[in-house]
């Protein structure tokens, strides 16, 4: 492991500080590419205009026509948090704008798989829909869209995933990553794309005289859902996404949120008035995702759609229970998968350039989380496979992968598919996360092929885990109120939360937790005693060590003290 400090452009930091930004925040923002204070303006007026999205005007016109004719609209969602929030935004937003007949359908992870399939298109038609709208999926659903069109449905695809070699023949496609789209924010989540479609639809309805600027429905209450889905999907928080998230957080902190989000905060034991992006990514998001992993994502979507506080509390409690079950399943799977991964190399050897593991007892709803845990520990692109439990698909293995910086996972799968035709039955995803299906007999071929691509693409520097930090922390900023200030800001993928690093003296250390798997440390930081904890780490540290750490506040009997959360050590 190598701990490296980010470059902090002094001119940018100075300019931000001169413009009134707190000196520590000025340093942190400058290191993340912010050059001027106006880039930090998170007002709605600073959002990129919808007109930049290719196909959005056509989509808005088709939706407005369908609503004028009182046609039946049906949203086909996805079974993760982005898909669930995008569906809830679509249903709530279309109803706000006057649609009378809006419903949704969410595929089952096991029996349907990902995306709009031909069988789902037939189910949509059987439910009497006139228009099919995808959210967070559809860009790769060539067959599903073709079937929907053959059945007489109007199809609007809203998605953010990377397209394949052939686009579906939909009536409209809105996706910042489709060929020819000049929209600046290529990192928008599926929920953000659907929100933008609603903005364009409202403008179209305004142009038709349905309402004017004074009487038009407000769509900004939907931003709480947009913020949750954006952070939970771990998309890059570019300037536009940060604005969307900041707007959602402001409303939640002010108590302006759907009952389902309030109920999820309560179920997770988190405090909405001081909500952070951490709450979205590690408290609310996993509870919604658990429904799609182990049960039916309808539970998650209904929790986000209901306006009944009692019903919301009931659904949030159910989701919390499913998430506890998910954690139990994940724990056993993680231990088994880690043993399998570590058996691929000797203790004194480096891990292979890529890791693929499969066990017939693995649960396909949790493979992605387990892949992420292995990737975090071994710093290697990792795929974890489970046997499909879909009827008639027992011979197929469904895998989920997570990657490391410098290795584009979907592109790697594309190369595997080209070199070994027929091995990948289907695949898709992003640079850092992807999924695929292989025949059980082809697992060994896939494992070797992925490792070969990783061997060619990755060098020693990329295979060495690096923790980028913001350098030393001045002792005057080691205060609980400063930690609160930092937590209040919008951090996430591509705009990472502050992590500091410096050499400290270790005074004492001991293992804590039920399984004795966390290291509790007392240390001296620039002459001041500070408590620290390193979750999931059991090896003792030397008397002096270079630590990378984040800041947190530990509350005990009304006293709030700064605590370091250790991210890594360079020995």
């Amino acid at each position: 492991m190598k701990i490296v400090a980010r470059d902090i452009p002094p001119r940018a930091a100075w300019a931000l500080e001169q413009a009134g930004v707190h000196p520590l925040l000025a340093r942190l923002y400058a290191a993340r590419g912010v050059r001027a204070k106006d880039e930090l303006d998170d007002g709605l007026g600073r959002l990129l205009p919808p007109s930049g999205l290719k196909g959005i005007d056509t989509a808005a016109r088709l939706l407005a026509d369908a609503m004028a004719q009182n046609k039946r609209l049906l949203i086909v969602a996805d079974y993760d948090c982005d898909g669930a929030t995008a569906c809830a935004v679509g249903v709530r937003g279309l109803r706000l704008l006057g649609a009378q007949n809006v419903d949704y359908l969410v595929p089952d992870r096991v029996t349907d798989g990902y995306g709009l399939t031909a069988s789902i298109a037939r189910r949509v038609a059987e439910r009497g829909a006139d228009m099919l709208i995808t959210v967070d999926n559809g860009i790769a659903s060539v067959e599903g869209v073709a079937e929907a069109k053959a059945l007489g449905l109007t199809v609007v695809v809203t998605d953010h995933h990377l397209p394949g070699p052939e686009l579906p023949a939909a009536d409209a496609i809105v996706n910042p990553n489709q060929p020819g789209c000049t929209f600046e924010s290529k990192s928008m989540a599926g929920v953000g794309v659907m929100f933008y479609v609603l903005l364009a639809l409202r403008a179209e309805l305004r142009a038709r005289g349905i309402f004017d600027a004074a009487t038009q429905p407000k769509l900004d209450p939907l931003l709480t859902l947009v913020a949750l889905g954006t952070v939970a999907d771990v998309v890059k928080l570019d300037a536009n996404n940060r604005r969307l998230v900041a707007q959602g957080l402001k409303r939640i902190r002010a108590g302006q949120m759907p009952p389902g989000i309030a109920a999820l905060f309560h179920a997770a034991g988190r405090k909405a008035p001081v909500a952070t992006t951490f709450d979205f990514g590690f408290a609310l998001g996993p509870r919604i995702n658990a429904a799609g992993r182990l049960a039916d994502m309808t539970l998650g979507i209904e929790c986000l759609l209901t306006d009944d506080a009692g019903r919301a509390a009931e659904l949030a409690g159910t989701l919390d229970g499913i998430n506890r079950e998910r954690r139990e399943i994940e724990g056993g799977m993680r231990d088994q998968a880690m043993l399998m991964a570590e058996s691929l190399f000797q203790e004194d050897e480096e891990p292979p350039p890529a890791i693929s593991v499969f066990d017939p007892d693995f649960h396909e709803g949790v493979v992605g989380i387990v892949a992420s845990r292995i990737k975090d520990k071994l710093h290697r692109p990792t795929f974890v496979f489970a046997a499909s439990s879909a009827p008639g698909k027992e011979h197929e293995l469904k895998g989920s992968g997570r990657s490391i910086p410098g290795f584009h996972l979907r592109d790697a799968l594309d190369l595997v598919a080209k070199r070994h035709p027929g091995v990948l039955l289907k695949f898709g995803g992003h640079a850092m996360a992807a999924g695929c299906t292989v025949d059980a007999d082809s697992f060994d071929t896939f494992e070797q092929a992925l490792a070969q691509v990783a061997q060619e693409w990755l060098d020693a520097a990329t295979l060495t885990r690096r923790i980028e930090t913001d350098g030393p922390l001045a002792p005057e900023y080691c205060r609980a109120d400063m930690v609160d200030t930092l937590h209040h800001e919008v951090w996430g993928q591509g705009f990472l939360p502050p992590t500091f690093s410096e050499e400290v003296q270790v005074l004492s250390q001991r293992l804590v937790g039920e399984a004795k798997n966390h290291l509790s440390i007392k240390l001296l930081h620039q002459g001041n005693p500070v408590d620290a904890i390193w979750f999931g780490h059991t090896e003792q540290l030397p008397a002096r060590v270079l630590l990378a750490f984040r800041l947190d506040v530990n509350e005990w009997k009304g006293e709030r003290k700064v605590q370091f959360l250790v991210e890594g050590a360079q020995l």
Side-chain angles (χ1 to χ4, degrees):
M1 175 184 293
K2 191 171 183 180
I3 295 174
V4 294
R6 294 184 179 92
D7 178 46
I8 303 171
R11 285 174 179 264
W14 181 84
L16 290 168
E17 193 172 337
Q18 290 299 304
V21 177
H22 186 284
L24 179 57
L25 286 173
R27 181 179 130 200
L28 297 173
Y29 284 140
R32 286 155 181 76
V34 177
R35 295 291 175 265
K37 188 179 180 181
D38 67 339
E39 296 176 47
L40 302 173
D41 182 353
D42 57 21
L44 287 174
R46 291 291 304 238
L47 286 175
L48 294 171
S51 57
L53 278 162
K54 180 182 178 181
I56 200 163
D57 291 339
T58 304
R61 189 170 61 252
L62 290 169
L63 285 164
D65 289 346
M67 288 165 56
Q69 297 164 41
N70 204 25
K71 289 192 172 179
R72 288 159 290 193
L73 315 179
L74 195 143
I75 294 173
V76 175
D78 185 28
Y79 40 70
D80 68 357
C81 187
D82 186 19
T85 52
C87 181
V89 163
V91 171
R92 282 184 173 275
L94 287 168
R95 288 174 178 167
L96 272 172
L97 293 172
Q100 298 298 307
N101 293 300
V102 186
D103 204 353
Y104 72 92
L105 180 156
V106 59
D108 182 272
R109 180 186 291 267
V110 173
T111 58
D112 295 313
Y114 172 77
L116 171 63
T117 62
S119 62
I120 291 173
R122 289 190 287 272
R123 277 156 56 191
V124 172
E126 288 165 6
R127 286 173 58 166
D130 300 299
M131 174 181 276
L132 186 160
I133 306 156
T134 72
V135 291
D136 193 31
N137 75 95
I139 196 65
S141 303
V142 175
E143 293 179 5
V145 170
E147 180 70 10
K149 292 297 298 173
L151 293 167
L153 293 164
T154 301
V155 181
V156 174
V157 167
T158 77
D159 200 355
H160 70 123
H161 293 93
L162 298 174
E166 180 185 357
L167 292 179
D171 295 279
I173 297 176
V174 187
N175 181 338
N177 290 302
Q178 69 176 306
C181 185
T182 59
F183 193 70
E184 189 179 325
S185 177
K186 301 296 182 185
S187 302
M188 199 153 53
V191 66
V193 176
M194 187 61 219
F195 179 72
Y196 263 73
V197 169
L198 294 171
L199 291 176
L201 173 58
R202 185 175 67 177
E204 174 68 20
L205 295 173
R206 203 165 55 234
R208 295 185 182 196
I210 306 300
F211 34 65
D212 58 28
T215 61
Q216 67 181 6
K218 289 186 176 297
L219 295 175
D220 53 297
L222 301 174
L223 285 163
T224 55
L225 296 165
V226 176
L228 169 57
T230 298
V231 174
D233 211 45
V234 203
V235 295
K236 180 183 177 183
L237 292 189
D238 59 20
N240 206 60
N241 279 338
R242 289 204 311 278
R243 289 181 183 115
L244 291 170
V245 172
Q247 287 290 329
L249 275 175
K250 284 180 180 179
R251 284 161 177 78
I252 288 172
R253 290 166 181 164
Q256 302 163 5
M257 67 195 111
I261 287 188
L264 285 167
F265 267 96
H266 181 75
R270 310 295 295 183
K271 299 174 182 177
V274 289
T276 67
T277 49
F278 181 90
D279 294 320
F280 291 154
F282 295 93
L284 277 66
R287 282 165 172 78
I288 295 173
N289 275 327
R293 295 185 187 282
L294 301 187
D296 179 359
M297 186 46 95
T298 303
L299 291 167
I301 295 171
E302 284 299 310
C303 183
L304 300 175
L305 282 178
T306 184
D307 289 320
D308 182 299
R311 174 71 174 146
E314 179 187 336
L315 287 164
T318 300
L319 292 170
D320 187 57
I322 296 170
N323 191 51
R324 283 197 296 271
E325 181 187 354
R326 186 271 303 168
R327 283 201 296 260
E328 290 177 11
I329 294 171
E330 179 203 330
M333 266 181 66
R334 182 184 62 239
D335 293 344
Q336 175 67 11
M338 195 69 76
L339 286 172
M340 295 172 72
E342 291 175 340
S343 72
L344 299 173
F345 59 99
Q346 299 298 319
E347 192 171 335
D348 57 346
E349 295 178 339
E350 285 290 308
I355 291 169
S356 303
V357 296
F358 160 67
D359 189 283
D361 292 330
F362 284 172
H363 191 296
E364 65 183 274
V366 189
V367 287
I369 302 176
V370 174
S372 183
R373 301 290 187 263
I374 296 175
K375 180 268 297 181
D376 288 344
K377 182 172 182 182
L378 301 181
H379 193 67
R380 293 295 186 269
T382 301
F383 263 91
V384 177
F385 286 84
S388 173
S389 48
K393 299 287 184 71
E394 292 81 3
H395 64 290
E396 293 182 359
L397 306 183
K398 296 174 79 171
S400 187
R402 299 295 183 269
S403 195
I404 61 175
F407 191 78
H408 196 298
L409 209 51
R410 187 197 171 279
D411 286 356
L413 292 178
D414 191 46
L415 185 53
V416 169
K418 287 182 170 69
R419 289 178 172 177
H420 303 272
V423 165
L424 288 173
L425 303 178
K426 63 171 100 169
F427 68 91
H430 302 288
M432 303 302 287
C436 66
T437 303
V438 304
D439 190 278
D441 294 335
S442 300
F443 174 75
D444 291 343
T445 305
F446 172 83
E447 180 181 21
Q448 294 161 16
L450 184 68
Q452 179 63 36
V453 174
Q455 182 76 48
E456 295 167 12
W457 288 5
L458 296 170
D459 56 20
T462 316
L463 289 171
T464 301
R465 187 183 174 209
R466 288 161 53 97
I467 298 183
E468 283 198 334
T469 77
D470 296 290
L473 175 70
E476 63 263 28
Y477 297 140
C478 198
R479 311 188 312 264
D481 65 314
M482 194 69 237
V483 179
D484 293 341
T485 297
L486 293 178
H487 284 182
H488 190 268
E489 302 302 305
V490 174
W491 313 104
Q493 185 71 19
F495 205 82
L496 294 173
T499 302
F500 304 96
S501 61
E502 54 195 295
E503 189 173 284
V504 295
Q505 181 181 344
V506 176
L507 301 176
S508 66
Q509 50 192 318
R510 62 191 178 94
L511 294 177
V512 297
E514 285 185 23
K516 299 293 182 185
N517 60 340
H518 308 308
L519 189 64
S520 176
I521 314 160
K522 292 190 180 298
L523 50 84
L524 273 184
H525 168 255
Q526 301 198 21
N528 299 313
V530 179
D531 290 337
I533 189 159
W534 192 347
F535 291 112
H537 185 86
T538 56
E539 297 174 19
Q540 297 285 297
L541 294 172
R544 292 197 70 83
V545 62
L546 177 63
L547 288 185
F549 56 90
R550 291 184 292 112
L551 297 179
D552 197 19
V553 174
N554 188 28
E555 297 190 29
W556 176 251
K557 294 184 177 179
E559 186 181 5
R560 305 176 78 239
K561 292 176 63 178
V562 172
Q563 172 179 256
F564 290 177
L565 303 179
V566 179
E567 294 283 294
Q570 185 172 306
L571 303 175

